[in-house]
Short mmCIF file of all heavy atoms in Angstrom, two decimals:
data_model
loop_
_atom_site.label_atom_id
_atom_site.label_comp_id
_atom_site.label_asym_id
_atom_site.label_seq_id
_atom_site.Cartn_x
_atom_site.Cartn_y
_atom_site.Cartn_z
N THR V 742 -88.10 28.27 -62.07
CA THR V 742 -88.62 28.30 -63.52
C THR V 742 -90.14 27.77 -63.51
O THR V 742 -90.43 26.88 -62.81
CB THR V 742 -87.80 27.43 -64.34
OG1 THR V 742 -87.27 26.47 -63.68
CG2 THR V 742 -86.83 28.33 -65.19
N LEU V 743 -90.85 28.42 -64.36
CA LEU V 743 -92.29 27.99 -64.48
C LEU V 743 -92.35 26.71 -65.24
O LEU V 743 -91.59 26.42 -66.15
CB LEU V 743 -92.99 29.18 -65.26
CG LEU V 743 -93.06 30.47 -64.53
CD1 LEU V 743 -93.63 31.53 -65.42
CD2 LEU V 743 -93.92 30.46 -63.30
N PRO V 744 -93.43 25.93 -64.90
CA PRO V 744 -93.60 24.73 -65.74
C PRO V 744 -94.16 25.21 -67.18
O PRO V 744 -94.84 26.18 -67.29
CB PRO V 744 -94.86 23.88 -65.08
CG PRO V 744 -95.46 25.00 -64.16
CD PRO V 744 -94.39 26.05 -63.91
N MET V 745 -93.91 24.32 -68.14
CA MET V 745 -94.15 24.70 -69.55
C MET V 745 -95.69 24.42 -69.76
O MET V 745 -96.22 23.46 -69.22
CB MET V 745 -93.46 23.93 -70.62
CG MET V 745 -91.83 24.18 -70.58
SD MET V 745 -91.46 25.88 -71.22
CE MET V 745 -92.02 25.87 -72.89
N VAL V 746 -96.38 25.20 -70.57
CA VAL V 746 -97.69 24.96 -71.05
C VAL V 746 -97.69 23.64 -71.85
O VAL V 746 -96.81 23.46 -72.64
CB VAL V 746 -98.17 26.08 -71.99
CG1 VAL V 746 -99.51 25.69 -72.60
CG2 VAL V 746 -98.45 27.33 -71.09
N ASN V 747 -98.77 22.82 -71.44
CA ASN V 747 -98.75 21.57 -72.11
C ASN V 747 -99.81 21.75 -73.46
O ASN V 747 -100.94 22.05 -73.17
CB ASN V 747 -99.28 20.51 -71.21
CG ASN V 747 -99.44 19.12 -71.84
OD1 ASN V 747 -99.39 18.95 -73.12
ND2 ASN V 747 -99.49 18.00 -71.11
N GLU V 748 -99.29 21.50 -74.60
CA GLU V 748 -100.13 21.72 -75.85
C GLU V 748 -101.43 20.92 -75.76
O GLU V 748 -102.41 21.27 -76.26
CB GLU V 748 -99.41 21.22 -77.10
CG GLU V 748 -98.37 21.90 -77.53
CD GLU V 748 -97.63 21.40 -78.69
OE1 GLU V 748 -98.13 20.32 -79.33
OE2 GLU V 748 -96.57 21.84 -79.15
N LYS V 749 -101.48 19.82 -74.96
CA LYS V 749 -102.62 18.84 -74.89
C LYS V 749 -103.60 19.20 -73.84
O LYS V 749 -104.65 18.62 -73.80
CB LYS V 749 -102.16 17.52 -74.68
CG LYS V 749 -100.95 17.06 -75.71
CD LYS V 749 -101.60 15.89 -76.55
CE LYS V 749 -100.93 15.59 -77.77
NZ LYS V 749 -99.54 15.99 -78.17
N ASP V 750 -103.31 20.20 -72.98
CA ASP V 750 -104.23 20.67 -71.97
C ASP V 750 -105.43 21.42 -72.70
O ASP V 750 -105.34 22.05 -73.79
CB ASP V 750 -103.61 21.54 -70.92
CG ASP V 750 -102.85 20.69 -69.94
OD1 ASP V 750 -102.88 19.50 -69.94
OD2 ASP V 750 -102.07 21.35 -69.23
N ALA V 751 -106.62 21.54 -72.05
CA ALA V 751 -107.84 22.09 -72.62
C ALA V 751 -107.70 23.48 -73.10
O ALA V 751 -107.96 23.81 -74.27
CB ALA V 751 -108.99 22.01 -71.68
N GLN V 752 -107.13 24.38 -72.19
CA GLN V 752 -107.14 25.83 -72.69
C GLN V 752 -106.09 26.03 -73.81
O GLN V 752 -106.52 26.71 -74.81
CB GLN V 752 -106.67 26.81 -71.45
CG GLN V 752 -106.92 28.21 -71.75
CD GLN V 752 -106.16 29.07 -70.77
OE1 GLN V 752 -105.57 28.69 -69.80
NE2 GLN V 752 -106.34 30.43 -71.00
N PRO V 753 -104.79 25.47 -73.75
CA PRO V 753 -103.94 25.61 -74.84
C PRO V 753 -104.54 24.92 -76.17
O PRO V 753 -104.50 25.62 -77.25
CB PRO V 753 -102.68 24.78 -74.32
CG PRO V 753 -102.84 24.91 -72.93
CD PRO V 753 -104.22 24.85 -72.62
N MET V 754 -105.17 23.90 -75.99
CA MET V 754 -105.93 23.22 -77.28
C MET V 754 -106.89 24.25 -77.85
O MET V 754 -106.94 24.32 -78.98
CB MET V 754 -106.53 21.99 -76.83
CG MET V 754 -105.73 20.79 -76.48
SD MET V 754 -105.12 19.98 -78.00
CE MET V 754 -106.49 18.96 -78.45
N ALA V 755 -107.65 24.83 -76.98
CA ALA V 755 -108.75 25.71 -77.44
C ALA V 755 -108.23 26.84 -78.29
O ALA V 755 -108.74 27.38 -79.18
CB ALA V 755 -109.61 26.21 -76.28
N LEU V 756 -106.94 27.31 -77.76
CA LEU V 756 -106.28 28.51 -78.39
C LEU V 756 -105.39 28.01 -79.57
O LEU V 756 -104.76 28.86 -80.20
CB LEU V 756 -105.55 29.21 -77.40
CG LEU V 756 -106.41 30.03 -76.43
CD1 LEU V 756 -105.56 30.57 -75.20
CD2 LEU V 756 -107.03 31.22 -77.13
N GLY V 757 -105.30 26.67 -79.78
CA GLY V 757 -104.45 26.26 -80.91
C GLY V 757 -102.88 26.39 -80.49
O GLY V 757 -102.07 26.69 -81.33
N TYR V 758 -102.50 26.53 -79.26
CA TYR V 758 -101.26 26.70 -78.82
C TYR V 758 -100.30 25.53 -79.29
O TYR V 758 -100.66 24.34 -79.14
CB TYR V 758 -101.06 26.72 -77.26
CG TYR V 758 -99.67 26.86 -76.91
CD1 TYR V 758 -98.82 28.08 -77.02
CD2 TYR V 758 -98.95 25.67 -76.30
CE1 TYR V 758 -97.47 28.05 -76.67
CE2 TYR V 758 -97.66 25.78 -75.98
CZ TYR V 758 -96.90 26.88 -76.19
OH TYR V 758 -95.62 26.86 -75.77
N VAL V 759 -99.15 25.84 -79.96
CA VAL V 759 -98.09 24.83 -80.25
C VAL V 759 -96.90 25.38 -79.71
O VAL V 759 -96.61 26.69 -79.75
CB VAL V 759 -98.05 24.53 -81.79
CG1 VAL V 759 -99.19 23.66 -82.16
CG2 VAL V 759 -98.14 25.87 -82.63
N ALA V 760 -95.97 24.57 -79.28
CA ALA V 760 -94.59 25.04 -78.74
C ALA V 760 -93.67 25.40 -79.95
O ALA V 760 -92.66 26.01 -79.73
CB ALA V 760 -93.99 23.90 -77.96
N ASP V 761 -94.15 24.97 -81.13
CA ASP V 761 -93.31 25.35 -82.49
C ASP V 761 -94.31 25.97 -83.40
O ASP V 761 -95.20 25.29 -83.89
CB ASP V 761 -92.70 23.98 -83.02
CG ASP V 761 -92.01 24.22 -84.26
OD1 ASP V 761 -91.96 25.43 -84.84
OD2 ASP V 761 -91.44 23.34 -84.88
N THR V 762 -94.08 27.26 -83.57
CA THR V 762 -95.00 27.93 -84.48
C THR V 762 -95.15 27.28 -85.87
O THR V 762 -96.23 27.44 -86.54
CB THR V 762 -94.47 29.52 -84.70
OG1 THR V 762 -95.60 30.30 -85.35
CG2 THR V 762 -93.17 29.57 -85.48
N ASN V 763 -94.26 26.54 -86.34
CA ASN V 763 -94.32 25.93 -87.64
C ASN V 763 -95.30 24.82 -87.56
O ASN V 763 -95.66 24.28 -88.65
CB ASN V 763 -92.87 25.42 -88.06
CG ASN V 763 -91.93 26.45 -88.40
OD1 ASN V 763 -92.24 27.45 -88.99
ND2 ASN V 763 -90.81 26.50 -87.55
N LYS V 764 -95.74 24.37 -86.37
CA LYS V 764 -96.79 23.34 -86.29
C LYS V 764 -98.15 23.80 -86.16
O LYS V 764 -99.17 23.06 -85.87
CB LYS V 764 -96.35 22.48 -85.02
CG LYS V 764 -94.92 21.86 -85.15
CD LYS V 764 -94.98 20.42 -85.41
CE LYS V 764 -93.57 19.81 -85.87
NZ LYS V 764 -92.67 19.80 -84.68
N ALA V 765 -98.30 25.21 -86.20
CA ALA V 765 -99.66 25.67 -86.02
C ALA V 765 -100.52 25.24 -87.19
O ALA V 765 -100.11 24.95 -88.27
CB ALA V 765 -99.64 27.23 -86.13
N ASP V 766 -101.82 25.11 -86.91
CA ASP V 766 -102.86 24.52 -87.77
C ASP V 766 -103.26 25.69 -88.84
O ASP V 766 -104.13 26.47 -88.55
CB ASP V 766 -103.95 24.03 -87.06
CG ASP V 766 -105.02 23.32 -88.01
OD1 ASP V 766 -104.96 23.52 -89.20
OD2 ASP V 766 -105.84 22.58 -87.49
N GLY V 767 -102.60 25.77 -89.91
CA GLY V 767 -102.87 26.79 -90.95
C GLY V 767 -104.26 26.76 -91.54
O GLY V 767 -104.72 27.80 -91.99
N LYS V 768 -104.75 25.64 -91.47
CA LYS V 768 -106.22 25.51 -92.01
C LYS V 768 -107.22 26.17 -91.06
O LYS V 768 -108.03 26.97 -91.53
CB LYS V 768 -106.64 24.04 -92.30
CG LYS V 768 -106.08 23.46 -93.54
CD LYS V 768 -106.85 22.21 -94.05
CE LYS V 768 -106.26 21.65 -95.20
NZ LYS V 768 -105.46 20.45 -95.01
N LYS V 769 -106.95 25.85 -89.88
CA LYS V 769 -107.92 26.37 -88.72
C LYS V 769 -107.48 27.83 -88.47
O LYS V 769 -108.45 28.61 -88.11
CB LYS V 769 -107.68 25.62 -87.49
CG LYS V 769 -108.82 25.59 -86.48
CD LYS V 769 -108.66 24.52 -85.45
CE LYS V 769 -109.44 24.80 -84.36
NZ LYS V 769 -109.18 23.80 -83.11
N PHE V 770 -106.23 28.18 -88.72
CA PHE V 770 -105.92 29.70 -88.43
C PHE V 770 -105.08 30.21 -89.56
O PHE V 770 -103.97 30.32 -89.58
CB PHE V 770 -104.96 29.64 -87.27
CG PHE V 770 -105.45 28.94 -86.03
CD1 PHE V 770 -104.96 27.70 -85.51
CD2 PHE V 770 -106.59 29.55 -85.30
CE1 PHE V 770 -105.57 27.20 -84.40
CE2 PHE V 770 -107.12 28.93 -84.05
CZ PHE V 770 -106.61 27.68 -83.63
N PRO V 771 -105.96 30.59 -90.58
CA PRO V 771 -105.29 31.06 -91.96
C PRO V 771 -104.45 32.24 -91.73
O PRO V 771 -103.67 32.64 -92.57
CB PRO V 771 -106.57 31.23 -92.80
CG PRO V 771 -107.77 31.20 -91.92
CD PRO V 771 -107.41 30.49 -90.73
N LYS V 772 -104.72 33.01 -90.52
CA LYS V 772 -103.89 34.29 -90.46
C LYS V 772 -102.56 34.04 -89.74
O LYS V 772 -101.61 34.89 -89.74
CB LYS V 772 -104.61 35.34 -89.65
CG LYS V 772 -105.83 35.93 -90.30
CD LYS V 772 -106.39 37.05 -89.46
CE LYS V 772 -107.69 37.57 -89.91
NZ LYS V 772 -108.49 38.05 -88.80
N HIS V 773 -102.29 32.81 -89.40
CA HIS V 773 -100.97 32.39 -88.81
C HIS V 773 -99.98 32.60 -89.93
O HIS V 773 -100.05 32.37 -91.12
CB HIS V 773 -100.96 30.95 -88.38
CG HIS V 773 -99.61 30.54 -88.06
ND1 HIS V 773 -98.80 29.76 -88.89
CD2 HIS V 773 -98.92 30.66 -86.87
CE1 HIS V 773 -97.63 29.55 -88.24
NE2 HIS V 773 -97.69 29.94 -87.12
N ALA V 774 -98.69 33.03 -89.47
CA ALA V 774 -97.57 33.11 -90.24
C ALA V 774 -96.33 32.64 -89.49
O ALA V 774 -96.44 32.87 -88.16
CB ALA V 774 -97.22 34.56 -90.79
N ALA V 775 -95.36 32.02 -90.03
CA ALA V 775 -94.21 31.39 -89.27
C ALA V 775 -93.34 32.58 -88.58
O ALA V 775 -92.63 32.22 -87.58
CB ALA V 775 -93.44 30.62 -90.28
N THR V 776 -93.56 33.79 -88.98
CA THR V 776 -92.92 34.91 -88.40
C THR V 776 -93.52 35.25 -86.99
O THR V 776 -92.89 35.97 -86.23
CB THR V 776 -92.87 36.22 -89.32
OG1 THR V 776 -94.14 36.48 -89.67
CG2 THR V 776 -91.92 35.93 -90.51
N GLN V 777 -94.76 34.70 -86.81
CA GLN V 777 -95.44 35.05 -85.54
C GLN V 777 -94.91 34.00 -84.55
O GLN V 777 -95.13 32.81 -84.73
CB GLN V 777 -96.95 34.91 -85.73
CG GLN V 777 -97.52 35.88 -86.80
CD GLN V 777 -98.96 35.67 -87.06
OE1 GLN V 777 -99.66 34.68 -86.59
NE2 GLN V 777 -99.63 36.51 -87.73
N LYS V 778 -94.35 34.51 -83.46
CA LYS V 778 -93.92 33.61 -82.38
C LYS V 778 -94.25 34.26 -81.08
O LYS V 778 -94.26 35.54 -80.88
CB LYS V 778 -92.33 33.51 -82.46
CG LYS V 778 -91.94 32.75 -83.77
CD LYS V 778 -90.43 32.80 -83.88
CE LYS V 778 -90.14 32.07 -85.11
NZ LYS V 778 -88.62 32.10 -85.35
N CYS V 779 -94.31 33.51 -80.13
CA CYS V 779 -94.58 34.01 -78.72
C CYS V 779 -93.54 35.09 -78.31
O CYS V 779 -93.87 36.02 -77.72
CB CYS V 779 -94.43 32.87 -77.67
SG CYS V 779 -95.79 31.64 -77.79
N GLY V 780 -92.20 34.86 -78.71
CA GLY V 780 -91.16 35.74 -78.46
C GLY V 780 -91.39 37.08 -78.99
O GLY V 780 -90.84 38.08 -78.58
N ASN V 781 -92.27 37.35 -80.05
CA ASN V 781 -92.55 38.64 -80.51
C ASN V 781 -93.97 39.04 -80.40
O ASN V 781 -94.61 39.87 -81.12
CB ASN V 781 -92.02 38.87 -81.91
CG ASN V 781 -92.64 37.93 -83.02
OD1 ASN V 781 -93.76 37.52 -82.84
ND2 ASN V 781 -91.97 37.61 -84.02
N CYS V 782 -94.65 38.39 -79.44
CA CYS V 782 -96.04 38.59 -79.12
C CYS V 782 -96.15 39.52 -77.90
O CYS V 782 -95.31 39.57 -77.06
CB CYS V 782 -96.65 37.37 -78.70
SG CYS V 782 -98.43 37.46 -78.17
N THR V 783 -97.17 40.52 -77.96
CA THR V 783 -97.22 41.50 -77.00
C THR V 783 -97.57 40.95 -75.58
O THR V 783 -97.23 41.47 -74.51
CB THR V 783 -98.34 42.47 -77.41
OG1 THR V 783 -98.37 43.50 -76.45
CG2 THR V 783 -99.67 41.86 -77.50
N LEU V 784 -98.21 39.60 -75.62
CA LEU V 784 -98.48 39.08 -74.21
C LEU V 784 -97.37 38.30 -73.61
O LEU V 784 -97.47 37.75 -72.48
CB LEU V 784 -99.66 38.11 -74.51
CG LEU V 784 -100.95 38.79 -74.73
CD1 LEU V 784 -101.85 38.07 -75.74
CD2 LEU V 784 -101.72 39.06 -73.45
N TYR V 785 -96.21 38.26 -74.35
CA TYR V 785 -95.04 37.50 -73.89
C TYR V 785 -94.11 38.34 -73.04
O TYR V 785 -93.85 39.56 -73.36
CB TYR V 785 -94.26 37.05 -74.96
CG TYR V 785 -93.03 36.11 -74.77
CD1 TYR V 785 -93.22 34.73 -74.31
CD2 TYR V 785 -91.77 36.58 -74.82
CE1 TYR V 785 -92.09 33.93 -74.05
CE2 TYR V 785 -90.66 35.82 -74.58
CZ TYR V 785 -90.80 34.48 -74.16
OH TYR V 785 -89.72 33.59 -74.02
N THR V 786 -93.70 37.98 -71.86
CA THR V 786 -92.84 38.70 -70.98
C THR V 786 -91.61 38.03 -70.57
O THR V 786 -90.89 38.45 -69.61
CB THR V 786 -93.63 39.15 -69.66
OG1 THR V 786 -94.07 37.91 -68.98
CG2 THR V 786 -94.84 40.02 -69.88
N GLY V 787 -91.14 37.04 -71.40
CA GLY V 787 -89.86 36.42 -71.26
C GLY V 787 -88.70 37.37 -71.60
O GLY V 787 -88.97 38.41 -72.20
N LYS V 788 -87.47 36.99 -71.11
CA LYS V 788 -86.38 37.81 -71.54
C LYS V 788 -85.97 37.53 -73.03
O LYS V 788 -86.34 36.42 -73.58
CB LYS V 788 -85.16 37.32 -70.67
CG LYS V 788 -85.35 37.65 -69.17
CD LYS V 788 -84.01 37.74 -68.42
CE LYS V 788 -84.22 38.12 -66.96
NZ LYS V 788 -84.21 36.81 -66.09
N PRO V 789 -85.44 38.51 -73.76
CA PRO V 789 -85.27 38.44 -75.11
C PRO V 789 -84.53 37.18 -75.62
O PRO V 789 -84.92 36.68 -76.60
CB PRO V 789 -84.37 39.68 -75.49
CG PRO V 789 -84.72 40.64 -74.30
CD PRO V 789 -84.87 39.82 -73.15
N ASP V 790 -83.48 36.68 -74.88
CA ASP V 790 -82.72 35.55 -75.51
C ASP V 790 -83.10 34.13 -74.79
O ASP V 790 -82.62 33.20 -75.10
CB ASP V 790 -81.30 35.71 -75.31
CG ASP V 790 -80.87 36.90 -76.21
OD1 ASP V 790 -81.25 37.02 -77.33
OD2 ASP V 790 -79.91 37.59 -75.78
N ALA V 791 -84.16 34.19 -73.91
CA ALA V 791 -84.58 33.01 -73.18
C ALA V 791 -85.26 32.02 -74.14
O ALA V 791 -86.07 32.52 -74.93
CB ALA V 791 -85.44 33.36 -72.04
N PRO V 792 -85.25 30.84 -74.01
CA PRO V 792 -86.00 29.86 -74.84
C PRO V 792 -87.57 29.79 -74.48
O PRO V 792 -88.23 29.32 -75.29
CB PRO V 792 -85.30 28.49 -74.58
CG PRO V 792 -84.71 28.63 -73.15
CD PRO V 792 -84.42 30.12 -72.99
N SER V 793 -87.79 30.37 -73.25
CA SER V 793 -89.25 30.30 -72.97
C SER V 793 -89.49 31.33 -71.92
O SER V 793 -88.50 32.05 -71.35
CB SER V 793 -89.66 28.96 -72.22
OG SER V 793 -88.95 28.68 -71.10
N GLY V 794 -90.79 31.75 -71.66
CA GLY V 794 -91.15 32.85 -70.72
C GLY V 794 -92.58 32.77 -70.40
O GLY V 794 -93.40 32.21 -71.14
N PRO V 795 -92.95 33.66 -69.44
CA PRO V 795 -94.32 33.89 -69.17
C PRO V 795 -95.23 34.38 -70.27
O PRO V 795 -94.70 35.21 -71.03
CB PRO V 795 -94.32 34.68 -67.93
CG PRO V 795 -92.89 34.82 -67.42
CD PRO V 795 -92.10 34.59 -68.70
N CYS V 796 -96.38 34.07 -70.20
CA CYS V 796 -97.46 34.71 -71.11
C CYS V 796 -98.65 35.04 -70.34
O CYS V 796 -99.15 34.26 -69.60
CB CYS V 796 -97.77 33.76 -72.36
SG CYS V 796 -99.39 34.15 -73.10
N GLY V 797 -99.20 36.20 -70.57
CA GLY V 797 -100.42 36.75 -69.85
C GLY V 797 -101.65 35.83 -69.95
O GLY V 797 -102.52 35.89 -69.13
N ILE V 798 -101.68 34.93 -71.01
CA ILE V 798 -102.84 34.14 -71.14
C ILE V 798 -102.74 32.88 -70.28
O ILE V 798 -103.78 32.23 -70.01
CB ILE V 798 -102.85 33.71 -72.68
CG1 ILE V 798 -103.05 34.89 -73.62
CG2 ILE V 798 -103.99 32.63 -72.93
CD1 ILE V 798 -104.36 34.93 -74.24
N PHE V 799 -101.52 32.50 -70.01
CA PHE V 799 -101.40 31.21 -69.23
C PHE V 799 -100.59 31.56 -67.98
O PHE V 799 -99.44 31.33 -67.72
CB PHE V 799 -100.50 30.20 -70.06
CG PHE V 799 -101.16 29.82 -71.30
CD1 PHE V 799 -100.52 30.20 -72.55
CD2 PHE V 799 -102.28 29.05 -71.39
CE1 PHE V 799 -101.14 29.86 -73.71
CE2 PHE V 799 -102.96 28.68 -72.51
CZ PHE V 799 -102.26 29.12 -73.76
N PRO V 800 -101.36 32.10 -66.86
CA PRO V 800 -100.57 32.47 -65.56
C PRO V 800 -100.05 31.27 -64.96
O PRO V 800 -100.61 30.21 -64.94
CB PRO V 800 -101.77 32.92 -64.68
CG PRO V 800 -102.96 33.25 -65.68
CD PRO V 800 -102.67 32.37 -66.98
N GLY V 801 -98.79 31.50 -64.43
CA GLY V 801 -98.14 30.44 -63.71
C GLY V 801 -97.36 29.32 -64.58
O GLY V 801 -96.84 28.45 -64.08
N LYS V 802 -97.50 29.61 -65.88
CA LYS V 802 -96.79 28.69 -66.87
C LYS V 802 -95.97 29.47 -67.80
O LYS V 802 -96.11 30.74 -67.93
CB LYS V 802 -97.94 27.93 -67.60
CG LYS V 802 -98.81 27.09 -66.71
CD LYS V 802 -98.76 25.66 -67.14
CE LYS V 802 -99.45 24.77 -66.07
NZ LYS V 802 -100.55 24.08 -66.61
N ALA V 803 -95.05 28.78 -68.47
CA ALA V 803 -94.28 29.39 -69.45
C ALA V 803 -94.55 28.78 -70.86
O ALA V 803 -94.97 27.72 -71.06
CB ALA V 803 -92.69 29.04 -69.21
N VAL V 804 -94.37 29.66 -71.88
CA VAL V 804 -94.60 29.24 -73.23
C VAL V 804 -93.27 29.22 -73.94
O VAL V 804 -92.33 30.04 -73.50
CB VAL V 804 -95.63 30.17 -74.03
CG1 VAL V 804 -97.04 30.05 -73.37
CG2 VAL V 804 -95.13 31.64 -73.97
N ALA V 805 -93.10 28.57 -75.01
CA ALA V 805 -91.95 28.52 -75.74
C ALA V 805 -91.70 29.81 -76.54
O ALA V 805 -92.71 30.38 -77.04
CB ALA V 805 -91.88 27.34 -76.80
N ALA V 806 -90.56 30.41 -76.56
CA ALA V 806 -90.36 31.56 -77.36
C ALA V 806 -90.69 31.39 -78.75
O ALA V 806 -91.10 32.35 -79.45
CB ALA V 806 -88.89 32.08 -77.22
N GLY V 807 -90.39 30.20 -79.25
CA GLY V 807 -90.80 29.83 -80.63
C GLY V 807 -92.26 29.29 -80.86
O GLY V 807 -92.55 28.85 -82.00
N GLY V 808 -92.95 29.47 -79.81
CA GLY V 808 -94.48 28.86 -79.96
C GLY V 808 -95.38 29.76 -80.50
O GLY V 808 -94.97 30.83 -81.08
N TRP V 809 -96.68 29.48 -80.56
CA TRP V 809 -97.69 30.30 -81.03
C TRP V 809 -99.02 29.93 -80.54
O TRP V 809 -99.27 28.71 -80.20
CB TRP V 809 -97.69 30.14 -82.69
CG TRP V 809 -98.61 31.05 -83.28
CD1 TRP V 809 -98.52 32.34 -83.61
CD2 TRP V 809 -99.98 30.75 -83.74
NE1 TRP V 809 -99.64 32.88 -84.31
CE2 TRP V 809 -100.56 31.85 -84.36
CE3 TRP V 809 -100.72 29.49 -83.56
CZ2 TRP V 809 -101.86 31.90 -84.84
CZ3 TRP V 809 -102.05 29.62 -84.06
CH2 TRP V 809 -102.59 30.75 -84.72
N CYS V 810 -99.95 30.82 -80.44
CA CYS V 810 -101.37 30.47 -80.34
C CYS V 810 -102.25 31.53 -80.93
O CYS V 810 -101.71 32.57 -81.46
CB CYS V 810 -101.70 30.41 -78.75
SG CYS V 810 -102.34 32.03 -78.01
N SER V 811 -103.43 31.25 -81.09
CA SER V 811 -104.39 32.15 -81.86
C SER V 811 -104.65 33.40 -81.21
O SER V 811 -105.32 34.31 -81.80
CB SER V 811 -105.67 31.33 -82.11
OG SER V 811 -106.33 31.00 -80.94
N ALA V 812 -104.10 33.65 -80.08
CA ALA V 812 -104.35 35.06 -79.39
C ALA V 812 -103.16 35.72 -79.67
O ALA V 812 -103.01 37.02 -79.15
CB ALA V 812 -104.57 34.82 -77.85
N TYR V 813 -102.29 35.51 -80.54
CA TYR V 813 -101.02 36.21 -80.87
C TYR V 813 -101.34 37.59 -81.30
O TYR V 813 -102.24 37.93 -82.07
CB TYR V 813 -100.28 35.48 -82.13
CG TYR V 813 -99.25 36.23 -82.65
CD1 TYR V 813 -97.94 36.10 -82.02
CD2 TYR V 813 -99.24 37.29 -83.70
CE1 TYR V 813 -96.84 36.91 -82.48
CE2 TYR V 813 -98.24 37.88 -84.11
CZ TYR V 813 -97.06 37.76 -83.43
OH TYR V 813 -95.91 38.55 -83.94
N ALA V 814 -100.66 38.52 -80.81
CA ALA V 814 -100.72 39.88 -81.21
C ALA V 814 -99.22 40.54 -81.26
O ALA V 814 -98.56 40.45 -80.25
CB ALA V 814 -101.54 40.72 -80.15
N LYS V 815 -98.94 41.00 -82.39
CA LYS V 815 -97.54 41.31 -82.65
C LYS V 815 -97.12 42.59 -81.72
O LYS V 815 -97.88 43.51 -81.52
CB LYS V 815 -97.42 41.94 -84.09
CG LYS V 815 -95.90 42.17 -84.52
CD LYS V 815 -95.97 42.62 -85.92
CE LYS V 815 -94.72 42.58 -86.68
NZ LYS V 815 -93.52 42.96 -85.95
N LYS V 816 -96.07 42.34 -81.16
CA LYS V 816 -95.48 43.38 -80.10
C LYS V 816 -95.16 44.69 -80.96
O LYS V 816 -94.51 44.56 -81.99
CB LYS V 816 -94.17 42.81 -79.54
CG LYS V 816 -93.83 43.59 -78.27
CD LYS V 816 -92.53 42.89 -77.57
CE LYS V 816 -93.00 41.60 -76.80
NZ LYS V 816 -92.18 41.28 -75.72
N ALA V 817 -95.54 45.76 -80.39
CA ALA V 817 -95.44 47.04 -81.21
C ALA V 817 -93.86 47.46 -81.16
O ALA V 817 -93.23 47.06 -80.32
CB ALA V 817 -96.21 48.17 -80.51
FE1 LIG R 2331 -97.61 32.82 -77.38
FE2 LIG R 2331 -98.82 35.31 -77.45
FE3 LIG R 2331 -100.31 33.09 -77.61
FE4 LIG R 2331 -99.14 33.79 -75.36
S1 LIG R 2331 -100.76 34.92 -76.40
S2 LIG R 2331 -99.08 31.71 -76.18
S3 LIG R 2331 -97.25 34.64 -76.07
S4 LIG R 2331 -98.68 33.67 -79.17
#
């Protein structure tokens, strides 16, 4: 299993990554919505029911399925 992305590391911080989408900074990211989650982001490659999985933005690490960052793009 991949190590989890740490919210406090520089790159995740710069992208506003949070392991819980409900904790996203709505002032800084007004387009954020609670329905946006890593699990339904186009950059996420985790299995449908897994609690976490890989993200193209963070090679070698896993993001929480319920997480979020400002690079979010809804899966088609
Ligand atoms: Fe989550 Fe998508 Fe951001 Fe990756 S790019 S951390 S999957 S919201």
Side-chain angles (χ1 to χ4, degrees):
T742 25
L743 298 168
M745 294 297 291
V746 167
N747 184 341
E748 291 182 4
K749 306 246 163 20
D750 284 349
Q752 192 197 0
M754 284 281 278
L756 287 167
Y758 172 78
V759 280
D761 176 357
T762 191
N763 296 306
K764 304 253 167 73
D766 186 341
K768 283 203 180 102
K769 205 167 162 190
F770 306 110
K772 287 188 193 152
H773 169 263
T776 50
Q777 301 175 354
K778 295 174 182 177
C779 294
N781 60 30
C782 173
T783 189
L784 289 147
Y785 184 77
T786 55
K788 297 201 178 103
D790 294 323
S793 64
C796 160
I798 299 248
F799 301 109
K802 301 237 168 121
V804 296
W809 183 86
C810 91
S811 57
Y813 175 85
K815 193 178 189 331
K816 201 174 281 212

